[in-house]
Amino acid sequence: MSDIHIDFARTGVVGFGTMGAGIAQVVAQSGRAVTVLELDTGRLETGLAAVRTFLDGGVARGKLTENERDAVLGRITGTTDVHDIAGADLVIEAATENSDTKREILARVAAEVGDSAVIVTNTSALSVTDLATALPRPERFAGLHFFNPAQLMRVVEVVRALQTDETVVERLVSLVESFGKDPVIVKDRPGFLVNHLLMPYLNDVIQEYDDGLATAEDIDTALKLGLGYKLGPLELLDLIGLDVHDHATTSAYEATQDPCYVSPPLLRQMVAAGYHGTKNGRGFRTGQVPA
Ligand code: NAD
């Protein structure tokens, strides 16, 4: 595997949504050229505008100069033609969370790039080991799980699929370090590391709240002050999105049959009643809270 380009100088990103925009910016800020593949030019423009807005905020706060902003933007090129990522030595797939969509993208990307290229997925909930089977060279595939917002969150999970070659893992660790971020190597489990441990905790908190252990505010205050967390679990659930957590924990349950991932009845009721958290102003700590 010594033919893997250590620097990953030419990078492709697939998908220019929430995560693709953040990831493309991180890669461009590390000095690398990035080609972003999207479905249409409208989505490319939206993604580029998101990067520009984020960088403009940095300029306004004196974190970077206008020249530095322009240099980062200048390293990002959008395309709707998969042939344009043929020269990439690393492709980061950050498209819609759907197994069929991702498998199709991965196969198309693999047919374009050279044999020495590494391909990674930013999936949150799909099995990296399963996605690897869509590729002719599964040993050169891994998960690279950024957190939202990718520009700010320091931890990145390097997910080792059953097929992933150890050299690929090592190179990805170096890559993440070159972004100024902190890599953690993790097995391919539902939720990987952070969400694997977070989901049962949030499910327990929801059940305890429903059982009347304490008020929502007191649960958050106690866990913040008692454990030194920045956010209480119920505020965090509102931010994540109750619907998003319900979907993630239900997927983890389906994959593992582990009862700790069963979505609590109150959560399912709230999602059915349209409580989606901060994004629609209705959640555990947002708007009128169900007693
Ligand atoms: P998003 O919906 O904001 O963006 C997905 C983008 O992929 C869309 O712009 C869509 O047009 C594009 N896309 C779909 N099919 C495509 C194709 N065939 N070719 C090119 N582009 C295509 O989604 P997101 O929140 O950015 O999530 C992307 C991935 O990152 C998912 O796998 C998700 O699980 C993962 N993830 C999301 C978060 C989060 O908090 N949003 C955090 C970590 C990981």
Side-chain angles (χ1 to χ4, degrees):
M1 285 272 162
S2 54
D3 54 337
I4 297 173
H5 301 286
I6 296 173
D7 57 352
F8 293 130
R10 290 163 304 161
T11 300
V13 172
V14 185
F16 215 177
T18 306
M19 294 308 293
I23 293 167
Q25 181 182 327
V26 167
V27 176
Q29 280 176 327
S30 73
R32 297 173 171 89
V34 194
T35 303
V36 189
L37 177 69
E38 254 293 355
L39 291 173
D40 56 52
T41 50
R43 288 175 164 100
L44 285 173
E45 281 162 18
T46 306
L48 207 52
V51 176
R52 189 176 294 113
T53 302
F54 196 99
L55 293 171
D56 282 345
V59 172
R61 287 193 307 280
K63 301 260 183 197
L64 77 167
T65 65
E66 289 185 3
N67 281 347
E68 286 166 338
R69 173 200 60 198
D70 294 345
V72 173
L73 288 169
R75 284 194 281 273
I76 302 176
T77 310
T79 183
T80 57
D81 183 351
V82 70
H83 299 310
D84 289 336
I85 57 167
D89 39 38
L90 171 73
V91 177
I92 304 173
E93 178 278 308
T96 311
E97 185 78 334
N98 174 286
S99 179
D100 291 342
T101 303
K102 286 188 189 288
R103 292 180 73 86
E104 193 197 324
I105 290 170
L106 292 169
R108 284 175 62 210
V109 165
E112 294 296 331
V113 295
D115 285 352
S116 62
V118 169
I119 302 174
V120 295
T121 177
N122 185 50
T123 183
S124 293
L126 299 172
S127 161
V128 180
T129 300
D130 178 58
L131 289 175
T133 63
L135 293 163
R137 290 177 294 280
E139 68 280 6
R140 288 176 179 271
F141 182 68
L144 199 63
H145 186 234
F146 291 79
F147 290 77
N148 185 21
Q151 302 94 327
L152 301 179
M153 298 295 278
R154 285 193 57 134
V155 70
V156 178
E157 293 172 327
V158 176
V159 185
R160 184 196 278 131
L162 280 185
Q163 306 92 326
T164 310
D165 187 277
E166 206 44 42
T167 310
V168 171
V169 173
E170 284 166 19
R171 298 289 154 83
L172 291 172
V173 164
S174 303
L175 174 78
V176 172
E177 286 168 348
S178 79
F179 295 153
K181 296 189 182 291
D182 296 295
V184 290
I185 300 171
V186 60
K187 281 185 173 183
D188 181 24
R189 292 270 168 82
F192 308 131
L193 189 159
V194 172
N195 291 330
H196 186 73
L197 297 174
L198 178 65
M199 288 185 284
Y201 161 65
L202 295 179
N203 289 340
D204 266 355
V205 169
I206 295 166
Q207 191 57 54
E208 293 293 357
Y209 169 69
D210 194 21
D211 290 347
L213 179 70
T215 65
E217 190 180 355
D218 282 354
I219 288 174
D220 276 352
T221 301
L223 285 163
K224 266 195 295 195
L225 300 183
L227 297 176
Y229 291 169
K230 277 191 183 164
L231 284 176
L234 296 171
E235 303 173 273
L236 179 60
L237 270 160
D238 282 358
L239 268 185
I240 292 170
L242 275 55
D243 54 330
V244 172
H245 173 65
D246 178 49
H247 183 260
T249 199
T250 301
S251 302
Y253 177 68
E254 283 165 4
T256 62
Q257 300 296 303
D258 186 332
C260 73
Y261 294 114
V262 172
S263 182
L266 175 62
L267 179 70
R268 277 179 275 150
Q269 281 180 345
M270 288 175 75
V271 172
Y275 287 81
H276 290 173
T278 314
K279 64 189 165 207
N280 77 341
R282 302 178 79 203
F284 286 102
R285 302 294 311 280
T286 321
Q288 202 182 349
V289 182

PDB file of all heavy atoms in Angstrom, residues 180-214:
ATOM      1  N   GLY A 180      -5.658  19.848  11.535  1.00  0.00           N
ATOM      2  CA  GLY A 180      -5.655  20.439  12.880  1.00  0.00           C
ATOM      3  C   GLY A 180      -6.747  19.838  13.758  1.00  0.00           C
ATOM      4  O   GLY A 180      -7.175  20.438  14.736  1.00  0.00           O
ATOM      5  N   LYS A 181      -7.178  18.620  13.395  1.00  0.00           N
ATOM      6  CA  LYS A 181      -8.244  17.960  14.161  1.00  0.00           C
ATOM      7  C   LYS A 181      -7.694  16.717  14.867  1.00  0.00           C
ATOM      8  O   LYS A 181      -6.551  16.335  14.653  1.00  0.00           O
ATOM      9  CB  LYS A 181      -9.409  17.594  13.227  1.00  0.00           C
ATOM     10  CG  LYS A 181     -10.085  18.833  12.624  1.00  0.00           C
ATOM     11  CD  LYS A 181     -11.350  18.474  11.890  1.00  0.00           C
ATOM     12  CE  LYS A 181     -12.004  19.684  11.249  1.00  0.00           C
ATOM     13  NZ  LYS A 181     -12.569  20.625  12.247  1.00  0.00           N
ATOM     14  N   ASP A 182      -8.548  16.108  15.692  1.00  0.00           N
ATOM     15  CA  ASP A 182      -8.126  14.968  16.506  1.00  0.00           C
ATOM     16  C   ASP A 182      -8.805  13.691  16.020  1.00  0.00           C
ATOM     17  O   ASP A 182     -10.009  13.504  16.234  1.00  0.00           O
ATOM     18  CB  ASP A 182      -8.500  15.227  17.974  1.00  0.00           C
ATOM     19  CG  ASP A 182      -7.755  16.422  18.526  1.00  0.00           C
ATOM     20  OD1 ASP A 182      -6.520  16.346  18.623  1.00  0.00           O
ATOM     21  OD2 ASP A 182      -8.398  17.443  18.822  1.00  0.00           O
ATOM     22  N   PRO A 183      -8.036  12.797  15.375  1.00  0.00           N
ATOM     23  CA  PRO A 183      -8.635  11.547  14.892  1.00  0.00           C
ATOM     24  C   PRO A 183      -8.782  10.516  16.003  1.00  0.00           C
ATOM     25  O   PRO A 183      -7.951  10.450  16.908  1.00  0.00           O
ATOM     26  CB  PRO A 183      -7.598  11.059  13.865  1.00  0.00           C
ATOM     27  CG  PRO A 183      -6.301  11.647  14.318  1.00  0.00           C
ATOM     28  CD  PRO A 183      -6.605  12.918  15.063  1.00  0.00           C
ATOM     29  N   VAL A 184      -9.861   9.734  15.953  1.00  0.00           N
ATOM     30  CA  VAL A 184      -9.952   8.540  16.792  1.00  0.00           C
ATOM     31  C   VAL A 184     -10.261   7.371  15.855  1.00  0.00           C
ATOM     32  O   VAL A 184     -11.080   7.497  14.951  1.00  0.00           O
ATOM     33  CB  VAL A 184     -11.037   8.650  17.891  1.00  0.00           C
ATOM     34  CG1 VAL A 184     -10.639   9.646  18.963  1.00  0.00           C
ATOM     35  CG2 VAL A 184     -12.409   8.995  17.335  1.00  0.00           C
ATOM     36  N   ILE A 185      -9.563   6.258  16.068  1.00  0.00           N
ATOM     37  CA  ILE A 185      -9.775   5.076  15.224  1.00  0.00           C
ATOM     38  C   ILE A 185     -10.834   4.217  15.900  1.00  0.00           C
ATOM     39  O   ILE A 185     -10.768   3.960  17.107  1.00  0.00           O
ATOM     40  CB  ILE A 185      -8.472   4.275  15.066  1.00  0.00           C
ATOM     41  CG1 ILE A 185      -7.386   5.153  14.426  1.00  0.00           C
ATOM     42  CG2 ILE A 185      -8.706   3.016  14.243  1.00  0.00           C
ATOM     43  CD1 ILE A 185      -6.010   4.512  14.430  1.00  0.00           C
ATOM     44  N   VAL A 186     -11.811   3.791  15.125  1.00  0.00           N
ATOM     45  CA  VAL A 186     -12.932   3.081  15.732  1.00  0.00           C
ATOM     46  C   VAL A 186     -13.411   1.958  14.814  1.00  0.00           C
ATOM     47  O   VAL A 186     -13.263   2.034  13.594  1.00  0.00           O
ATOM     48  CB  VAL A 186     -14.060   4.093  16.085  1.00  0.00           C
ATOM     49  CG1 VAL A 186     -14.559   4.828  14.860  1.00  0.00           C
ATOM     50  CG2 VAL A 186     -15.202   3.439  16.814  1.00  0.00           C
ATOM     51  N   LYS A 187     -13.964   0.912  15.436  1.00  0.00           N
ATOM     52  CA  LYS A 187     -14.552  -0.193  14.672  1.00  0.00           C
ATOM     53  C   LYS A 187     -15.848   0.260  14.016  1.00  0.00           C
ATOM     54  O   LYS A 187     -16.470   1.217  14.455  1.00  0.00           O
ATOM     55  CB  LYS A 187     -14.881  -1.346  15.617  1.00  0.00           C
ATOM     56  CG  LYS A 187     -13.715  -2.197  16.018  1.00  0.00           C
ATOM     57  CD  LYS A 187     -14.250  -3.350  16.852  1.00  0.00           C
ATOM     58  CE  LYS A 187     -13.154  -4.352  17.141  1.00  0.00           C
ATOM     59  NZ  LYS A 187     -13.679  -5.501  17.875  1.00  0.00           N
ATOM     60  N   ASP A 188     -16.260  -0.509  13.027  1.00  0.00           N
ATOM     61  CA  ASP A 188     -17.511  -0.227  12.319  1.00  0.00           C
ATOM     62  C   ASP A 188     -18.683  -0.799  13.112  1.00  0.00           C
ATOM     63  O   ASP A 188     -19.065  -1.954  12.920  1.00  0.00           O
ATOM     64  CB  ASP A 188     -17.431  -0.853  10.920  1.00  0.00           C
ATOM     65  CG  ASP A 188     -18.675  -0.577  10.108  1.00  0.00           C
ATOM     66  OD1 ASP A 188     -19.373   0.417  10.396  1.00  0.00           O
ATOM     67  OD2 ASP A 188     -18.948  -1.358   9.172  1.00  0.00           O
ATOM     68  N   ARG A 189     -19.206  -0.001  14.042  1.00  0.00           N
ATOM     69  CA  ARG A 189     -20.374  -0.379  14.849  1.00  0.00           C
ATOM     70  C   ARG A 189     -21.455   0.665  14.626  1.00  0.00           C
ATOM     71  O   ARG A 189     -21.114   1.825  14.355  1.00  0.00           O
ATOM     72  CB  ARG A 189     -20.011  -0.353  16.342  1.00  0.00           C
ATOM     73  CG  ARG A 189     -19.045  -1.401  16.775  1.00  0.00           C
ATOM     74  CD  ARG A 189     -19.799  -2.667  17.201  1.00  0.00           C
ATOM     75  NE  ARG A 189     -18.893  -3.791  17.353  1.00  0.00           N
ATOM     76  CZ  ARG A 189     -18.160  -4.013  18.439  1.00  0.00           C
ATOM     77  NH1 ARG A 189     -18.238  -3.175  19.454  1.00  0.00           N
ATOM     78  NH2 ARG A 189     -17.373  -5.056  18.509  1.00  0.00           N
ATOM     79  N   PRO A 190     -22.743   0.346  14.770  1.00  0.00           N
ATOM     80  CA  PRO A 190     -23.774   1.375  14.602  1.00  0.00           C
ATOM     81  C   PRO A 190     -23.488   2.571  15.512  1.00  0.00           C
ATOM     82  O   PRO A 190     -23.316   2.406  16.719  1.00  0.00           O
ATOM     83  CB  PRO A 190     -25.059   0.653  15.015  1.00  0.00           C
ATOM     84  CG  PRO A 190     -24.779  -0.787  14.729  1.00  0.00           C
ATOM     85  CD  PRO A 190     -23.309  -0.988  15.040  1.00  0.00           C
ATOM     86  N   GLY A 191     -23.377   3.752  14.916  1.00  0.00           N
ATOM     87  CA  GLY A 191     -23.054   4.964  15.686  1.00  0.00           C
ATOM     88  C   GLY A 191     -21.564   5.144  15.904  1.00  0.00           C
ATOM     89  O   GLY A 191     -21.157   6.092  16.574  1.00  0.00           O
ATOM     90  N   PHE A 192     -20.748   4.203  15.402  1.00  0.00           N
ATOM     91  CA  PHE A 192     -19.281   4.240  15.563  1.00  0.00           C
ATOM     92  C   PHE A 192     -18.920   4.385  17.040  1.00  0.00           C
ATOM     93  O   PHE A 192     -19.295   3.510  17.815  1.00  0.00           O
ATOM     94  CB  PHE A 192     -18.655   5.329  14.678  1.00  0.00           C
ATOM     95  CG  PHE A 192     -19.113   5.204  13.237  1.00  0.00           C
ATOM     96  CD1 PHE A 192     -19.587   6.292  12.525  1.00  0.00           C
ATOM     97  CD2 PHE A 192     -19.119   3.958  12.618  1.00  0.00           C
ATOM     98  CE1 PHE A 192     -20.035   6.153  11.221  1.00  0.00           C
ATOM     99  CE2 PHE A 192     -19.562   3.802  11.306  1.00  0.00           C
ATOM    100  CZ  PHE A 192     -20.024   4.920  10.614  1.00  0.00           C
ATOM    101  N   LEU A 193     -18.278   5.483  17.474  1.00  0.00           N
ATOM    102  CA  LEU A 193     -17.907   5.584  18.891  1.00  0.00           C
ATOM    103  C   LEU A 193     -18.816   6.586  19.614  1.00  0.00           C
ATOM    104  O   LEU A 193     -19.564   6.237  20.522  1.00  0.00           O
ATOM    105  CB  LEU A 193     -16.435   5.991  19.024  1.00  0.00           C
ATOM    106  CG  LEU A 193     -15.830   5.935  20.426  1.00  0.00           C
ATOM    107  CD1 LEU A 193     -14.305   5.851  20.346  1.00  0.00           C
ATOM    108  CD2 LEU A 193     -16.192   7.112  21.300  1.00  0.00           C
ATOM    109  N   VAL A 194     -18.812   7.821  19.141  1.00  0.00           N
ATOM    110  CA  VAL A 194     -19.524   8.879  19.882  1.00  0.00           C
ATOM    111  C   VAL A 194     -21.024   8.578  19.940  1.00  0.00           C
ATOM    112  O   VAL A 194     -21.619   8.530  21.025  1.00  0.00           O
ATOM    113  CB  VAL A 194     -19.269  10.265  19.245  1.00  0.00           C
ATOM    114  CG1 VAL A 194     -20.150  11.326  19.898  1.00  0.00           C
ATOM    115  CG2 VAL A 194     -17.797  10.649  19.386  1.00  0.00           C
ATOM    116  N   ASN A 195     -21.634   8.339  18.794  1.00  0.00           N
ATOM    117  CA  ASN A 195     -23.083   8.129  18.794  1.00  0.00           C
ATOM    118  C   ASN A 195     -23.465   6.754  19.363  1.00  0.00           C
ATOM    119  O   ASN A 195     -24.549   6.595  19.919  1.00  0.00           O
ATOM    120  CB  ASN A 195     -23.654   8.316  17.382  1.00  0.00           C
ATOM    121  CG  ASN A 195     -23.564   9.771  16.965  1.00  0.00           C
ATOM    122  OD1 ASN A 195     -23.629  10.672  17.807  1.00  0.00           O
ATOM    123  ND2 ASN A 195     -23.384  10.034  15.682  1.00  0.00           N
ATOM    124  N   HIS A 196     -22.545   5.799  19.253  1.00  0.00           N
ATOM    125  CA  HIS A 196     -22.758   4.465  19.836  1.00  0.00           C
ATOM    126  C   HIS A 196     -22.983   4.590  21.347  1.00  0.00           C
ATOM    127  O   HIS A 196     -23.835   3.914  21.922  1.00  0.00           O
ATOM    128  CB  HIS A 196     -21.514   3.628  19.543  1.00  0.00           C
ATOM    129  CG  HIS A 196     -21.592   2.195  19.943  1.00  0.00           C
ATOM    130  ND1 HIS A 196     -22.341   1.281  19.262  1.00  0.00           N
ATOM    131  CD2 HIS A 196     -21.007   1.518  20.963  1.00  0.00           C
ATOM    132  CE1 HIS A 196     -22.209   0.095  19.837  1.00  0.00           C
ATOM    133  NE2 HIS A 196     -21.409   0.224  20.873  1.00  0.00           N
ATOM    134  N   LEU A 197     -22.193   5.466  21.984  1.00  0.00           N
ATOM    135  CA  LEU A 197     -22.310   5.648  23.433  1.00  0.00           C
ATOM    136  C   LEU A 197     -23.359   6.695  23.796  1.00  0.00           C
ATOM    137  O   LEU A 197     -23.959   6.642  24.871  1.00  0.00           O
ATOM    138  CB  LEU A 197     -20.944   6.062  24.011  1.00  0.00           C
ATOM    139  CG  LEU A 197     -19.856   5.005  23.820  1.00  0.00           C
ATOM    140  CD1 LEU A 197     -18.507   5.523  24.286  1.00  0.00           C
ATOM    141  CD2 LEU A 197     -20.212   3.734  24.588  1.00  0.00           C
ATOM    142  N   LEU A 198     -23.569   7.657  22.891  1.00  0.00           N
ATOM    143  CA  LEU A 198     -24.521   8.743  23.179  1.00  0.00           C
ATOM    144  C   LEU A 198     -25.978   8.264  23.128  1.00  0.00           C
ATOM    145  O   LEU A 198     -26.798   8.659  23.967  1.00  0.00           O
ATOM    146  CB  LEU A 198     -24.313   9.882  22.154  1.00  0.00           C
ATOM    147  CG  LEU A 198     -25.250  11.078  22.264  1.00  0.00           C
ATOM    148  CD1 LEU A 198     -25.028  11.825  23.574  1.00  0.00           C
ATOM    149  CD2 LEU A 198     -25.038  12.032  21.070  1.00  0.00           C
ATOM    150  N   MET A 199     -26.293   7.401  22.156  1.00  0.00           N
ATOM    151  CA  MET A 199     -27.709   7.043  21.955  1.00  0.00           C
ATOM    152  C   MET A 199     -28.348   6.377  23.184  1.00  0.00           C
ATOM    153  O   MET A 199     -29.435   6.799  23.605  1.00  0.00           O
ATOM    154  CB  MET A 199     -27.868   6.170  20.700  1.00  0.00           C
ATOM    155  CG  MET A 199     -27.666   6.968  19.424  1.00  0.00           C
ATOM    156  SD  MET A 199     -27.987   6.033  17.913  1.00  0.00           S
ATOM    157  CE  MET A 199     -26.552   5.016  17.774  1.00  0.00           C
ATOM    158  N   PRO A 200     -27.690   5.368  23.807  1.00  0.00           N
ATOM    159  CA  PRO A 200     -28.322   4.764  25.001  1.00  0.00           C
ATOM    160  C   PRO A 200     -28.468   5.775  26.138  1.00  0.00           C
ATOM    161  O   PRO A 200     -29.462   5.738  26.874  1.00  0.00           O
ATOM    162  CB  PRO A 200     -27.349   3.644  25.387  1.00  0.00           C
ATOM    163  CG  PRO A 200     -26.516   3.396  24.189  1.00  0.00           C
ATOM    164  CD  PRO A 200     -26.451   4.680  23.432  1.00  0.00           C
ATOM    165  N   TYR A 201     -27.493   6.674  26.278  1.00  0.00           N
ATOM    166  CA  TYR A 201     -27.554   7.715  27.322  1.00  0.00           C
ATOM    167  C   TYR A 201     -28.782   8.597  27.103  1.00  0.00           C
ATOM    168  O   TYR A 201     -29.574   8.824  28.029  1.00  0.00           O
ATOM    169  CB  TYR A 201     -26.244   8.519  27.265  1.00  0.00           C
ATOM    170  CG  TYR A 201     -26.232   9.890  27.904  1.00  0.00           C
ATOM    171  CD1 TYR A 201     -26.394  10.059  29.280  1.00  0.00           C
ATOM    172  CD2 TYR A 201     -26.013  11.029  27.129  1.00  0.00           C
ATOM    173  CE1 TYR A 201     -26.339  11.332  29.850  1.00  0.00           C
ATOM    174  CE2 TYR A 201     -25.956  12.294  27.690  1.00  0.00           C
ATOM    175  CZ  TYR A 201     -26.126  12.438  29.055  1.00  0.00           C
ATOM    176  OH  TYR A 201     -26.076  13.686  29.616  1.00  0.00           O
ATOM    177  N   LEU A 202     -28.978   9.068  25.875  1.00  0.00           N
ATOM    178  CA  LEU A 202     -30.129   9.932  25.591  1.00  0.00           C
ATOM    179  C   LEU A 202     -31.434   9.165  25.791  1.00  0.00           C
ATOM    180  O   LEU A 202     -32.398   9.711  26.332  1.00  0.00           O
ATOM    181  CB  LEU A 202     -30.039  10.494  24.167  1.00  0.00           C
ATOM    182  CG  LEU A 202     -28.862  11.451  23.899  1.00  0.00           C
ATOM    183  CD1 LEU A 202     -28.859  11.909  22.450  1.00  0.00           C
ATOM    184  CD2 LEU A 202     -28.892  12.651  24.838  1.00  0.00           C
ATOM    185  N   ASN A 203     -31.456   7.896  25.381  1.00  0.00           N
ATOM    186  CA  ASN A 203     -32.683   7.101  25.553  1.00  0.00           C
ATOM    187  C   ASN A 203     -33.021   6.939  27.034  1.00  0.00           C
ATOM    188  O   ASN A 203     -34.183   7.052  27.435  1.00  0.00           O
ATOM    189  CB  ASN A 203     -32.523   5.718  24.897  1.00  0.00           C
ATOM    190  CG  ASN A 203     -32.511   5.812  23.384  1.00  0.00           C
ATOM    191  OD1 ASN A 203     -32.973   6.806  22.818  1.00  0.00           O
ATOM    192  ND2 ASN A 203     -31.973   4.805  22.725  1.00  0.00           N
ATOM    193  N   ASP A 204     -31.988   6.704  27.872  1.00  0.00           N
ATOM    194  CA  ASP A 204     -32.203   6.583  29.324  1.00  0.00           C
ATOM    195  C   ASP A 204     -32.768   7.871  29.893  1.00  0.00           C
ATOM    196  O   ASP A 204     -33.690   7.854  30.715  1.00  0.00           O
ATOM    197  CB  ASP A 204     -30.855   6.331  30.033  1.00  0.00           C
ATOM    198  CG  ASP A 204     -30.598   4.859  30.221  1.00  0.00           C
ATOM    199  OD1 ASP A 204     -31.485   4.055  29.898  1.00  0.00           O
ATOM    200  OD2 ASP A 204     -29.490   4.528  30.693  1.00  0.00           O
ATOM    201  N   VAL A 205     -32.194   8.999  29.466  1.00  0.00           N
ATOM    202  CA  VAL A 205     -32.632  10.296  29.995  1.00  0.00           C
ATOM    203  C   VAL A 205     -34.101  10.543  29.637  1.00  0.00           C
ATOM    204  O   VAL A 205     -34.892  10.965  30.493  1.00  0.00           O
ATOM    205  CB  VAL A 205     -31.744  11.437  29.451  1.00  0.00           C
ATOM    206  CG1 VAL A 205     -32.354  12.789  29.785  1.00  0.00           C
ATOM    207  CG2 VAL A 205     -30.338  11.343  30.025  1.00  0.00           C
ATOM    208  N   ILE A 206     -34.476  10.243  28.395  1.00  0.00           N
ATOM    209  CA  ILE A 206     -35.868  10.457  27.967  1.00  0.00           C
ATOM    210  C   ILE A 206     -36.808   9.598  28.817  1.00  0.00           C
ATOM    211  O   ILE A 206     -37.851  10.047  29.288  1.00  0.00           O
ATOM    212  CB  ILE A 206     -36.046  10.119  26.463  1.00  0.00           C
ATOM    213  CG1 ILE A 206     -35.232  11.072  25.599  1.00  0.00           C
ATOM    214  CG2 ILE A 206     -37.536  10.193  26.075  1.00  0.00           C
ATOM    215  CD1 ILE A 206     -35.071  10.607  24.149  1.00  0.00           C
ATOM    216  N   GLN A 207     -36.405   8.333  29.047  1.00  0.00           N
ATOM    217  CA  GLN A 207     -37.266   7.442  29.836  1.00  0.00           C
ATOM    218  C   GLN A 207     -37.386   7.934  31.277  1.00  0.00           C
ATOM    219  O   GLN A 207     -38.476   7.937  31.858  1.00  0.00           O
ATOM    220  CB  GLN A 207     -36.704   6.003  29.796  1.00  0.00           C
ATOM    221  CG  GLN A 207     -37.664   4.973  30.355  1.00  0.00           C
ATOM    222  CD  GLN A 207     -39.016   4.993  29.630  1.00  0.00           C
ATOM    223  OE1 GLN A 207     -39.075   4.876  28.414  1.00  0.00           O
ATOM    224  NE2 GLN A 207     -40.111   5.175  30.373  1.00  0.00           N
ATOM    225  N   GLU A 208     -36.263   8.389  31.853  1.00  0.00           N
ATOM    226  CA  GLU A 208     -36.292   8.892  33.237  1.00  0.00           C
ATOM    227  C   GLU A 208     -37.152  10.156  33.338  1.00  0.00           C
ATOM    228  O   GLU A 208     -37.882  10.352  34.303  1.00  0.00           O
ATOM    229  CB  GLU A 208     -34.866   9.176  33.743  1.00  0.00           C
ATOM    230  CG  GLU A 208     -34.002   7.940  33.905  1.00  0.00           C
ATOM    231  CD  GLU A 208     -34.480   7.002  35.023  1.00  0.00           C
ATOM    232  OE1 GLU A 208     -35.444   7.331  35.724  1.00  0.00           O
ATOM    233  OE2 GLU A 208     -33.880   5.919  35.158  1.00  0.00           O
ATOM    234  N   TYR A 209     -37.067  11.005  32.327  1.00  0.00           N
ATOM    235  CA  TYR A 209     -37.894  12.216  32.306  1.00  0.00           C
ATOM    236  C   TYR A 209     -39.368  11.820  32.243  1.00  0.00           C
ATOM    237  O   TYR A 209     -40.210  12.335  32.995  1.00  0.00           O
ATOM    238  CB  TYR A 209     -37.513  13.091  31.109  1.00  0.00           C
ATOM    239  CG  TYR A 209     -38.480  14.213  30.845  1.00  0.00           C
ATOM    240  CD1 TYR A 209     -38.601  15.291  31.725  1.00  0.00           C
ATOM    241  CD2 TYR A 209     -39.319  14.186  29.720  1.00  0.00           C
ATOM    242  CE1 TYR A 209     -39.515  16.310  31.503  1.00  0.00           C
ATOM    243  CE2 TYR A 209     -40.231  15.196  29.490  1.00  0.00           C
ATOM    244  CZ  TYR A 209     -40.328  16.248  30.385  1.00  0.00           C
ATOM    245  OH  TYR A 209     -41.237  17.249  30.159  1.00  0.00           O
ATOM    246  N   ASP A 210     -39.687  10.854  31.388  1.00  0.00           N
ATOM    247  CA  ASP A 210     -41.069  10.394  31.238  1.00  0.00           C
ATOM    248  C   ASP A 210     -41.567   9.752  32.544  1.00  0.00           C
ATOM    249  O   ASP A 210     -42.738   9.888  32.910  1.00  0.00           O
ATOM    250  CB  ASP A 210     -41.145   9.392  30.074  1.00  0.00           C
ATOM    251  CG  ASP A 210     -42.583   9.128  29.627  1.00  0.00           C
ATOM    252  OD1 ASP A 210     -43.470   9.971  29.910  1.00  0.00           O
ATOM    253  OD2 ASP A 210     -42.822   8.089  28.990  1.00  0.00           O
ATOM    254  N   ASP A 211     -40.649   9.092  33.266  1.00  0.00           N
ATOM    255  CA  ASP A 211     -41.028   8.458  34.541  1.00  0.00           C
ATOM    256  C   ASP A 211     -41.150   9.471  35.671  1.00  0.00           C
ATOM    257  O   ASP A 211     -41.527   9.094  36.793  1.00  0.00           O
ATOM    258  CB  ASP A 211     -39.993   7.388  34.943  1.00  0.00           C
ATOM    259  CG  ASP A 211     -40.047   6.168  34.027  1.00  0.00           C
ATOM    260  OD1 ASP A 211     -41.025   6.047  33.268  1.00  0.00           O
ATOM    261  OD2 ASP A 211     -39.104   5.357  34.048  1.00  0.00           O
ATOM    262  N   GLY A 212     -40.753  10.726  35.425  1.00  0.00           N
ATOM    263  CA  GLY A 212     -40.925  11.768  36.428  1.00  0.00           C
ATOM    264  C   GLY A 212     -39.765  11.919  37.395  1.00  0.00           C
ATOM    265  O   GLY A 212     -39.919  12.473  38.488  1.00  0.00           O
ATOM    266  N   LEU A 213     -38.577  11.482  36.993  1.00  0.00           N
ATOM    267  CA  LEU A 213     -37.402  11.596  37.877  1.00  0.00           C
ATOM    268  C   LEU A 213     -37.169  13.045  38.304  1.00  0.00           C
ATOM    269  O   LEU A 213     -36.886  13.329  39.467  1.00  0.00           O
ATOM    270  CB  LEU A 213     -36.156  11.050  37.163  1.00  0.00           C
ATOM    271  CG  LEU A 213     -34.846  11.126  37.935  1.00  0.00           C
ATOM    272  CD1 LEU A 213     -34.826  10.150  39.108  1.00  0.00           C
ATOM    273  CD2 LEU A 213     -33.652  10.828  37.021  1.00  0.00           C
ATOM    274  N   ALA A 214     -37.261  13.967  37.357  1.00  0.00           N
ATOM    275  CA  ALA A 214     -37.052  15.393  37.649  1.00  0.00           C
ATOM    276  C   ALA A 214     -37.580  16.188  36.455  1.00  0.00           C
ATOM    277  O   ALA A 214     -37.941  15.609  35.421  1.00  0.00           O
ATOM    278  CB  ALA A 214     -35.566  15.673  37.857  1.00  0.00           C
TER     279      ALA A 214
END
